[in-house]
Short mmCIF file of all heavy atoms in Angstrom, two decimals:
data_model
loop_
_atom_site.label_atom_id
_atom_site.label_comp_id
_atom_site.label_asym_id
_atom_site.label_seq_id
_atom_site.Cartn_x
_atom_site.Cartn_y
_atom_site.Cartn_z
N ARG B 70 -21.13 7.34 8.08
CA ARG B 70 -22.33 6.70 7.47
C ARG B 70 -23.26 7.77 6.93
O ARG B 70 -23.86 7.60 5.87
CB ARG B 70 -23.08 5.86 8.49
CG ARG B 70 -22.29 4.71 9.05
CD ARG B 70 -22.48 3.46 8.24
NE ARG B 70 -21.54 2.44 8.69
CZ ARG B 70 -21.90 1.29 9.26
NH1 ARG B 70 -23.16 1.02 9.41
NH2 ARG B 70 -20.98 0.42 9.61
N VAL B 71 -23.40 8.86 7.70
CA VAL B 71 -24.26 9.96 7.24
C VAL B 71 -23.69 10.52 5.94
O VAL B 71 -24.42 10.77 4.98
CB VAL B 71 -24.36 11.06 8.31
CG1 VAL B 71 -25.04 12.31 7.76
CG2 VAL B 71 -25.12 10.56 9.53
N TYR B 72 -22.38 10.69 5.91
CA TYR B 72 -21.71 11.23 4.72
C TYR B 72 -21.93 10.31 3.52
O TYR B 72 -22.28 10.75 2.43
CB TYR B 72 -20.21 11.37 5.01
CG TYR B 72 -19.42 12.00 3.90
CD1 TYR B 72 -19.23 13.38 3.83
CD2 TYR B 72 -18.87 11.21 2.89
CE1 TYR B 72 -18.51 13.94 2.80
CE2 TYR B 72 -18.15 11.77 1.85
CZ TYR B 72 -17.98 13.13 1.81
OH TYR B 72 -17.27 13.69 0.79
N ARG B 73 -21.74 9.03 3.77
CA ARG B 73 -21.81 8.04 2.69
C ARG B 73 -23.25 7.85 2.21
O ARG B 73 -23.50 7.68 1.02
CB ARG B 73 -21.29 6.71 3.23
CG ARG B 73 -20.69 5.79 2.21
CD ARG B 73 -20.32 4.48 2.87
NE ARG B 73 -19.20 4.61 3.80
CZ ARG B 73 -19.00 3.79 4.84
NH1 ARG B 73 -19.85 2.83 5.11
NH2 ARG B 73 -17.95 3.95 5.63
N ASN B 74 -24.20 7.88 3.15
CA ASN B 74 -25.59 7.54 2.81
C ASN B 74 -26.52 8.75 2.91
O ASN B 74 -27.69 8.60 3.25
CB ASN B 74 -26.10 6.43 3.73
CG ASN B 74 -25.22 5.20 3.67
OD1 ASN B 74 -24.89 4.74 2.60
ND2 ASN B 74 -24.83 4.70 4.82
N LYS B 75 -26.00 9.92 2.62
CA LYS B 75 -26.82 11.13 2.77
C LYS B 75 -28.09 11.08 1.91
O LYS B 75 -29.12 11.60 2.30
CB LYS B 75 -26.01 12.38 2.43
CG LYS B 75 -25.40 12.40 1.03
CD LYS B 75 -24.65 13.69 0.81
CE LYS B 75 -24.09 13.82 -0.58
NZ LYS B 75 -22.92 12.96 -0.81
N HIS B 76 -27.98 10.40 0.77
CA HIS B 76 -29.13 10.32 -0.13
C HIS B 76 -30.26 9.47 0.46
O HIS B 76 -31.39 9.53 -0.02
CB HIS B 76 -28.68 9.75 -1.48
CG HIS B 76 -28.03 8.42 -1.36
ND1 HIS B 76 -26.72 8.26 -0.93
CD2 HIS B 76 -28.50 7.17 -1.57
CE1 HIS B 76 -26.42 6.98 -0.90
NE2 HIS B 76 -27.48 6.29 -1.28
N LEU B 77 -29.94 8.66 1.48
CA LEU B 77 -30.98 7.78 2.07
C LEU B 77 -31.91 8.53 3.02
O LEU B 77 -32.98 8.04 3.36
CB LEU B 77 -30.34 6.61 2.81
CG LEU B 77 -29.56 5.61 1.96
CD1 LEU B 77 -28.99 4.51 2.83
CD2 LEU B 77 -30.45 5.00 0.89
N TYR B 78 -31.48 9.73 3.47
CA TYR B 78 -32.33 10.46 4.40
C TYR B 78 -33.47 11.13 3.63
O TYR B 78 -33.24 11.87 2.67
CB TYR B 78 -31.52 11.52 5.16
CG TYR B 78 -32.41 12.42 6.00
CD1 TYR B 78 -32.98 11.95 7.17
CD2 TYR B 78 -32.71 13.70 5.58
CE1 TYR B 78 -33.83 12.74 7.91
CE2 TYR B 78 -33.55 14.51 6.31
CZ TYR B 78 -34.11 14.03 7.47
OH TYR B 78 -34.96 14.80 8.20
N LYS B 79 -34.67 10.85 4.06
CA LYS B 79 -35.85 11.50 3.46
C LYS B 79 -36.46 12.41 4.52
O LYS B 79 -36.51 12.05 5.70
CB LYS B 79 -36.89 10.45 3.03
CG LYS B 79 -36.34 9.39 2.11
CD LYS B 79 -36.35 9.84 0.66
CE LYS B 79 -35.84 8.75 -0.27
NZ LYS B 79 -34.43 8.83 -0.62
N ASN B 80 -36.92 13.54 4.06
CA ASN B 80 -37.40 14.56 5.01
C ASN B 80 -38.80 14.23 5.54
O ASN B 80 -39.69 15.07 5.57
CB ASN B 80 -37.40 15.92 4.33
CG ASN B 80 -37.32 17.05 5.35
OD1 ASN B 80 -37.39 16.79 6.55
ND2 ASN B 80 -37.21 18.27 4.88
N ILE B 81 -39.00 12.99 5.97
CA ILE B 81 -40.28 12.62 6.56
C ILE B 81 -40.12 12.40 8.05
O ILE B 81 -41.07 12.38 8.80
CB ILE B 81 -40.90 11.35 5.89
CG1 ILE B 81 -39.82 10.28 5.72
CG2 ILE B 81 -41.53 11.69 4.56
CD1 ILE B 81 -40.35 8.95 5.28
N ALA B 82 -38.87 12.20 8.46
CA ALA B 82 -38.58 12.02 9.89
C ALA B 82 -37.57 13.09 10.29
O ALA B 82 -36.92 13.67 9.44
CB ALA B 82 -38.01 10.65 10.15
N LYS B 83 -37.47 13.29 11.60
CA LYS B 83 -36.49 14.25 12.08
C LYS B 83 -35.09 13.74 11.81
O LYS B 83 -34.83 12.54 11.92
CB LYS B 83 -36.67 14.43 13.59
CG LYS B 83 -37.71 15.44 13.97
CD LYS B 83 -37.66 15.64 15.46
CE LYS B 83 -38.51 16.81 15.88
NZ LYS B 83 -38.46 17.01 17.33
N PHE B 84 -34.20 14.68 11.49
CA PHE B 84 -32.83 14.28 11.24
C PHE B 84 -32.21 13.68 12.51
O PHE B 84 -31.47 12.70 12.45
CB PHE B 84 -32.00 15.48 10.77
CG PHE B 84 -30.55 15.15 10.60
CD1 PHE B 84 -30.11 14.41 9.53
CD2 PHE B 84 -29.61 15.56 11.55
CE1 PHE B 84 -28.77 14.08 9.39
CE2 PHE B 84 -28.28 15.24 11.42
CZ PHE B 84 -27.85 14.50 10.33
N SER B 85 -32.54 14.28 13.67
CA SER B 85 -31.96 13.78 14.93
C SER B 85 -32.35 12.32 15.16
O SER B 85 -31.54 11.52 15.62
CB SER B 85 -32.44 14.64 16.10
OG SER B 85 -33.84 14.62 16.18
N THR B 86 -33.58 11.99 14.81
CA THR B 86 -34.04 10.60 14.97
C THR B 86 -33.18 9.67 14.12
O THR B 86 -32.74 8.61 14.56
CB THR B 86 -35.51 10.48 14.52
OG1 THR B 86 -36.26 11.44 15.24
CG2 THR B 86 -36.07 9.12 14.77
N TRP B 87 -32.93 10.13 12.89
CA TRP B 87 -32.16 9.31 11.94
C TRP B 87 -30.73 9.10 12.44
O TRP B 87 -30.23 7.97 12.50
CB TRP B 87 -32.16 10.01 10.57
CG TRP B 87 -31.56 9.19 9.46
CD1 TRP B 87 -31.97 7.94 9.07
CD2 TRP B 87 -30.50 9.57 8.60
NE1 TRP B 87 -31.21 7.53 8.01
CE2 TRP B 87 -30.31 8.50 7.69
CE3 TRP B 87 -29.70 10.69 8.48
CZ2 TRP B 87 -29.33 8.53 6.70
CZ3 TRP B 87 -28.73 10.73 7.49
CH2 TRP B 87 -28.55 9.66 6.62
N ILE B 88 -30.10 10.19 12.85
CA ILE B 88 -28.68 10.07 13.23
C ILE B 88 -28.54 9.30 14.55
O ILE B 88 -27.59 8.52 14.73
CB ILE B 88 -28.01 11.47 13.29
CG1 ILE B 88 -26.48 11.28 13.22
CG2 ILE B 88 -28.38 12.29 14.50
CD1 ILE B 88 -25.72 12.57 12.96
N TYR B 89 -29.50 9.47 15.46
CA TYR B 89 -29.43 8.71 16.72
C TYR B 89 -29.69 7.23 16.47
O TYR B 89 -29.15 6.37 17.17
CB TYR B 89 -30.43 9.26 17.75
CG TYR B 89 -29.82 10.32 18.64
CD1 TYR B 89 -29.80 11.65 18.26
CD2 TYR B 89 -29.23 9.98 19.86
CE1 TYR B 89 -29.22 12.63 19.07
CE2 TYR B 89 -28.66 10.94 20.67
CZ TYR B 89 -28.66 12.27 20.27
OH TYR B 89 -28.07 13.21 21.07
N THR B 90 -30.53 6.93 15.50
CA THR B 90 -30.76 5.52 15.16
C THR B 90 -29.47 4.89 14.66
O THR B 90 -29.11 3.77 15.07
CB THR B 90 -31.85 5.41 14.06
OG1 THR B 90 -33.00 6.12 14.49
CG2 THR B 90 -32.22 3.97 13.78
N ILE B 91 -28.76 5.62 13.80
CA ILE B 91 -27.49 5.08 13.28
C ILE B 91 -26.51 4.86 14.43
O ILE B 91 -25.90 3.79 14.57
CB ILE B 91 -26.87 6.05 12.24
CG1 ILE B 91 -27.80 6.20 11.03
CG2 ILE B 91 -25.50 5.55 11.78
CD1 ILE B 91 -27.38 7.27 10.05
N ALA B 92 -26.39 5.90 15.30
CA ALA B 92 -25.44 5.79 16.42
C ALA B 92 -25.82 4.65 17.36
O ALA B 92 -24.95 3.90 17.83
CB ALA B 92 -25.39 7.11 17.17
N GLY B 93 -27.12 4.51 17.62
CA GLY B 93 -27.59 3.43 18.51
C GLY B 93 -27.29 2.06 17.93
O GLY B 93 -26.81 1.17 18.64
N ASN B 94 -27.52 1.90 16.62
CA ASN B 94 -27.25 0.60 15.99
C ASN B 94 -25.76 0.28 16.02
O ASN B 94 -25.37 -0.86 16.29
CB ASN B 94 -27.74 0.60 14.54
CG ASN B 94 -29.26 0.56 14.47
OD1 ASN B 94 -29.92 0.17 15.43
ND2 ASN B 94 -29.82 0.99 13.36
N LEU B 95 -24.94 1.29 15.75
CA LEU B 95 -23.49 1.05 15.78
C LEU B 95 -23.02 0.71 17.20
O LEU B 95 -22.13 -0.11 17.39
CB LEU B 95 -22.73 2.27 15.26
CG LEU B 95 -22.83 2.51 13.75
CD1 LEU B 95 -22.22 3.86 13.37
CD2 LEU B 95 -22.13 1.41 12.98
N SER B 96 -23.64 1.36 18.20
CA SER B 96 -23.28 1.06 19.59
C SER B 96 -23.63 -0.39 19.94
O SER B 96 -22.86 -1.08 20.61
CB SER B 96 -24.01 1.99 20.55
OG SER B 96 -23.76 3.31 20.22
N LYS B 97 -24.80 -0.82 19.48
CA LYS B 97 -25.20 -2.20 19.75
C LYS B 97 -24.23 -3.19 19.09
O LYS B 97 -23.87 -4.20 19.69
CB LYS B 97 -26.62 -2.46 19.22
CG LYS B 97 -27.70 -1.88 20.11
CD LYS B 97 -29.05 -2.09 19.47
CE LYS B 97 -30.08 -1.16 20.09
NZ LYS B 97 -31.30 -1.03 19.30
N THR B 98 -23.84 -2.85 17.87
CA THR B 98 -22.87 -3.72 17.17
C THR B 98 -21.57 -3.79 17.96
O THR B 98 -20.98 -4.87 18.12
CB THR B 98 -22.59 -3.16 15.76
OG1 THR B 98 -23.82 -2.93 15.11
CG2 THR B 98 -21.74 -4.10 14.94
N GLU B 99 -21.14 -2.65 18.47
CA GLU B 99 -19.89 -2.61 19.25
C GLU B 99 -20.02 -3.45 20.52
O GLU B 99 -19.10 -4.18 20.88
CB GLU B 99 -19.55 -1.15 19.58
CG GLU B 99 -18.34 -0.96 20.48
CD GLU B 99 -17.04 -1.49 19.90
OE1 GLU B 99 -16.93 -1.57 18.67
OE2 GLU B 99 -16.14 -1.85 20.69
N LEU B 100 -21.20 -3.35 21.16
CA LEU B 100 -21.41 -4.16 22.37
C LEU B 100 -21.35 -5.65 22.06
O LEU B 100 -20.76 -6.43 22.81
CB LEU B 100 -22.78 -3.84 22.98
CG LEU B 100 -22.86 -2.69 23.97
CD1 LEU B 100 -24.24 -2.63 24.59
CD2 LEU B 100 -21.82 -2.83 25.08
N ARG B 101 -21.97 -6.03 20.94
CA ARG B 101 -21.96 -7.46 20.55
C ARG B 101 -20.53 -7.92 20.29
O ARG B 101 -20.12 -9.01 20.68
CB ARG B 101 -22.81 -7.66 19.29
CG ARG B 101 -24.29 -7.82 19.60
CD ARG B 101 -25.02 -8.44 18.43
NE ARG B 101 -25.06 -7.55 17.28
CZ ARG B 101 -26.00 -6.64 17.07
NH1 ARG B 101 -26.99 -6.52 17.92
NH2 ARG B 101 -25.98 -5.87 16.01
N ARG B 102 -19.75 -7.04 19.61
CA ARG B 102 -18.37 -7.38 19.31
C ARG B 102 -17.58 -7.59 20.61
O ARG B 102 -16.79 -8.49 20.74
CB ARG B 102 -17.74 -6.24 18.48
CG ARG B 102 -16.44 -6.64 17.83
CD ARG B 102 -15.89 -5.52 17.00
NE ARG B 102 -16.78 -5.14 15.92
CZ ARG B 102 -16.90 -3.91 15.44
NH1 ARG B 102 -16.22 -2.92 15.96
NH2 ARG B 102 -17.72 -3.65 14.44
N ARG B 103 -17.85 -6.70 21.57
CA ARG B 103 -17.17 -6.81 22.86
C ARG B 103 -17.50 -8.12 23.54
O ARG B 103 -16.64 -8.77 24.11
CB ARG B 103 -17.61 -5.67 23.78
CG ARG B 103 -16.84 -4.42 23.57
CD ARG B 103 -17.25 -3.49 24.66
NE ARG B 103 -16.81 -2.16 24.41
CZ ARG B 103 -17.10 -1.15 25.21
NH1 ARG B 103 -17.84 -1.35 26.27
NH2 ARG B 103 -16.66 0.05 24.94
N LYS B 104 -18.79 -8.49 23.49
CA LYS B 104 -19.21 -9.74 24.13
C LYS B 104 -18.48 -10.92 23.51
O LYS B 104 -18.02 -11.82 24.21
CB LYS B 104 -20.73 -9.93 23.95
CG LYS B 104 -21.53 -9.38 25.11
CD LYS B 104 -22.99 -9.75 24.95
CE LYS B 104 -23.83 -9.02 25.96
NZ LYS B 104 -25.26 -9.18 25.71
N ARG B 105 -18.38 -10.89 22.17
CA ARG B 105 -17.67 -11.98 21.48
C ARG B 105 -16.22 -12.04 21.92
O ARG B 105 -15.68 -13.10 22.20
CB ARG B 105 -17.75 -11.76 19.97
CG ARG B 105 -18.96 -12.38 19.32
CD ARG B 105 -18.72 -12.64 17.85
NE ARG B 105 -18.34 -11.43 17.14
CZ ARG B 105 -19.19 -10.58 16.61
NH1 ARG B 105 -20.48 -10.80 16.71
NH2 ARG B 105 -18.78 -9.50 15.97
N ARG B 106 -15.60 -10.84 21.98
CA ARG B 106 -14.18 -10.78 22.39
C ARG B 106 -14.01 -11.33 23.79
O ARG B 106 -13.08 -12.05 24.09
CB ARG B 106 -13.68 -9.34 22.32
CG ARG B 106 -13.18 -8.92 20.96
CD ARG B 106 -12.20 -7.80 21.09
NE ARG B 106 -12.79 -6.63 21.72
CZ ARG B 106 -13.21 -5.57 21.07
NH1 ARG B 106 -13.11 -5.52 19.76
NH2 ARG B 106 -13.72 -4.53 21.70
N LYS B 107 -14.96 -10.94 24.67
CA LYS B 107 -14.91 -11.38 26.06
C LYS B 107 -15.00 -12.90 26.14
O LYS B 107 -14.25 -13.54 26.85
CB LYS B 107 -16.08 -10.74 26.81
CG LYS B 107 -15.81 -10.49 28.28
CD LYS B 107 -16.96 -9.69 28.84
CE LYS B 107 -16.90 -9.59 30.33
NZ LYS B 107 -18.04 -8.82 30.87
N LEU B 108 -15.94 -13.45 25.36
CA LEU B 108 -16.11 -14.90 25.35
C LEU B 108 -14.85 -15.58 24.85
O LEU B 108 -14.39 -16.57 25.40
CB LEU B 108 -17.29 -15.29 24.44
CG LEU B 108 -18.67 -15.18 25.08
CD1 LEU B 108 -19.73 -15.48 24.04
CD2 LEU B 108 -18.79 -16.17 26.23
N MET B 109 -14.28 -14.99 23.80
CA MET B 109 -13.05 -15.55 23.22
C MET B 109 -11.95 -15.56 24.26
O MET B 109 -11.25 -16.55 24.44
CB MET B 109 -12.60 -14.72 22.01
CG MET B 109 -13.47 -14.87 20.80
SD MET B 109 -13.10 -16.36 19.90
CE MET B 109 -11.57 -15.89 19.12
N SER B 110 -11.78 -14.43 24.95
CA SER B 110 -10.67 -14.35 25.89
C SER B 110 -10.91 -15.27 27.08
O SER B 110 -9.99 -15.86 27.62
CB SER B 110 -10.45 -12.92 26.35
OG SER B 110 -11.62 -12.43 26.95
#
Side-chain angles (χ1 to χ4, degrees):
Chain B
R70 298 269 171 115
V71 170
Y72 184 90
R73 207 184 291 154
N74 304 312
K75 58 179 183 286
H76 57 282
L77 294 180
Y78 172 74
K79 306 275 182 265
N80 203 354
I81 45 171
K83 275 187 170 180
F84 175 75
S85 58
T86 306
W87 188 56
I88 199 167
Y89 268 87
T90 307
I91 297 172
N94 288 340
L95 288 171
S96 305
K97 282 176 198 164
T98 309
E99 175 61 26
L100 272 187
R101 276 197 293 272
R102 194 178 299 148
R103 275 188 193 177
K104 267 187 190 171
R105 271 203 303 273
R106 274 205 299 260
K107 209 172 170 181
L108 278 175
M109 288 280 285
S110 59

